[in-house]
Amino acid sequence: MNYRLLRYAVGMSVAMLALTAANLMAGSEYIPANEVWGILSGNSSSNESWQFIVREIRLPQIVTAILCGASLATSGLMLQTAFRNPLAGPSVFGITNGAGVGVALVMLLFGGTLSTELLSLNGFMAVLAAAFAGAMTVTAVIFLFSTIVRNNVMLLIIGIMVGYLSSSVISLLNFSATEEGVRSYMIWGMGSFANVSMAQLPIFAIAATVGLVYALLMIKPLNTLLLGEQYAENLGMNMRRTRNLLLIVTGMLTATATAFCGPVAFIGLAVPHITRLLLRTENHRSLLPLTMLTGSTIALLCNLVSTLPGEAGIIPLNAVTPLIGAPVIIYVIISKKVEKLKG
């Protein structure tokens, strides 16, 4: 038994439970711990507003943070392994920007409404549908190029260029949009785990869970990829098929997380490195599930920090995530450079 892995799993699980409890009690409205426990146990509270806050706001927010953190962290790990690049991630491949283009079209061009002969969507549902469609469209474009380009580095560069194109489209839409539309888009771009209501939570939870289960089924191919493309092909692995499956799964996870929570930064890029540094292993049998656990824990931590001001307001989520993610990425880059110099 690997006691390092066991200690890490237990420690991270305890941290996640503690952060869950802290998130249930933290916010603009102070609710005593015994009242929170009573409400979660199904007992009625003397204060009806407390019941609404705990059950309809804080509880969905916590579940959303757990699933979103796990989804983005998993996407980052799978892309970094598949493309053997420590800086690969959902945002680098333009998937997050694709969701941004979809939302920008709805908010800045169509005034927050999507209408067809068969269906009409307004408000959050229109934003949700547009973000998911935009992210999956970019995933489909990358998938298409992956059938033409065999080189992983070239495919990564194409992903970066698609991201730049998406950013350019968003800038052009911002230029011609109304002030209200620009403001709405900026708020969405800050990211938030509070966008998912209790009614919408089952849809989000099912979509995220399906993606995470598919990711766990990719453990063996991911471990084989660590041996190198040539060795993997010698073992009978179809590299193009495996890479395409990875793109589909990461696209689905990123699209779901971004559609519901906005473009949450750095979790997908930084969490896999944090887990590797602490576990000191590349074996995905332990690395992948513990990356999911770490992603959920860090997402809960970021959500807690963003709500700490209480009555003074809420700190934007994307103002908190770089505080954790950016130092990790800088450390990884510097350590890689030092290793090369020593080599």
Side-chain angles (χ1 to χ4, degrees), residues 81-82 150 217-246:
T81 302
R150 292 186 61 87
L217 295 175
M218 299 291 291
I219 285 176
K220 187 176 179 180
L222 286 167
N223 275 339
T224 307
L225 286 172
L226 293 174
L227 303 173
E229 287 189 27
Q230 188 173 355
Y231 191 83
E233 287 177 346
N234 290 337
L235 290 176
M237 177 184 285
N238 186 323
M239 283 298 301
R240 182 169 291 183
R241 179 174 174 274
T242 301
R243 189 173 59 181
N244 290 344
L245 281 173
L246 286 169

Side-chain angles (χ1 to χ4, degrees), residues 110-277:
F110 301 127
T113 303
L114 280 176
S115 296
T116 64
E117 292 181 1
L118 300 175
L119 184 66
S120 180
L121 297 174
N122 298 301
F124 178 74
M125 291 307 296
V127 171
L128 178 64
F132 190 85
M136 290 309 295
T137 298
V138 171
T139 303
V141 170
I142 301 298
F143 180 87
L144 177 64
F145 277 113
S146 73
T147 61
I148 303 168
V149 180
R150 292 186 61 87
N151 188 287
N152 282 343
V153 176
M154 291 298 103
L155 189 59
L156 186 64
I157 292 171
I158 289 170
I160 294 170
M161 293 304 105
V162 170
Y164 278 124
L165 286 171
S166 301
S167 297
S168 179
V169 171
I170 293 169
S171 298
L172 291 171
L173 290 170
N174 269 306
F175 181 76
S176 58
T178 63
E179 185 178 341
E180 183 181 349
V182 172
R183 183 176 179 275
S184 298
Y185 183 77
M186 285 181 64
I187 292 172
W188 178 83
M190 291 176 181
S192 175
F193 297 132
N195 293 334
V196 184
S197 66
M198 184 59 82
Q200 296 157 348
L201 187 61
I203 301 170
F204 173 68
I206 290 169
T209 303
V210 168
L212 291 171
V213 169
Y214 268 108
L216 289 171
L217 295 175
M218 299 291 291
I219 285 176
K220 187 176 179 180
L222 286 167
N223 275 339
T224 307
L225 286 172
L226 293 174
L227 303 173
E229 287 189 27
Q230 188 173 355
Y231 191 83
E233 287 177 346
N234 290 337
L235 290 176
M237 177 184 285
N238 186 323
M239 283 298 301
R240 182 169 291 183
R241 179 174 174 274
T242 301
R243 189 173 59 181
N244 290 344
L245 281 173
L246 286 169
L247 280 172
I248 291 169
V249 175
T250 54
M252 180 181 175
L253 286 170
T254 306
T256 303
T258 307
F260 280 90
C261 306
V264 180
F266 275 103
I267 289 181
L269 190 59
V271 170
H273 292 298
I274 293 172
T275 312
R276 284 194 197 95
L277 289 170

Side-chain angles (χ1 to χ4, degrees), residues 18-35:
L19 286 166
T20 298
N23 274 282
L24 282 168
M25 290 181 285
S28 57
E29 179 77 16
Y30 171 73
I31 304 176
N34 62 319
E35 287 284 349

Side-chain angles (χ1 to χ4, degrees), residues 31-40 43-47 50 54:
I31 304 176
N34 62 319
E35 287 284 349
V36 172
W37 177 252
I39 292 168
L40 293 176
N43 301 326
S44 58
S45 173
S46 56
N47 191 324
W50 286 356
V54 172

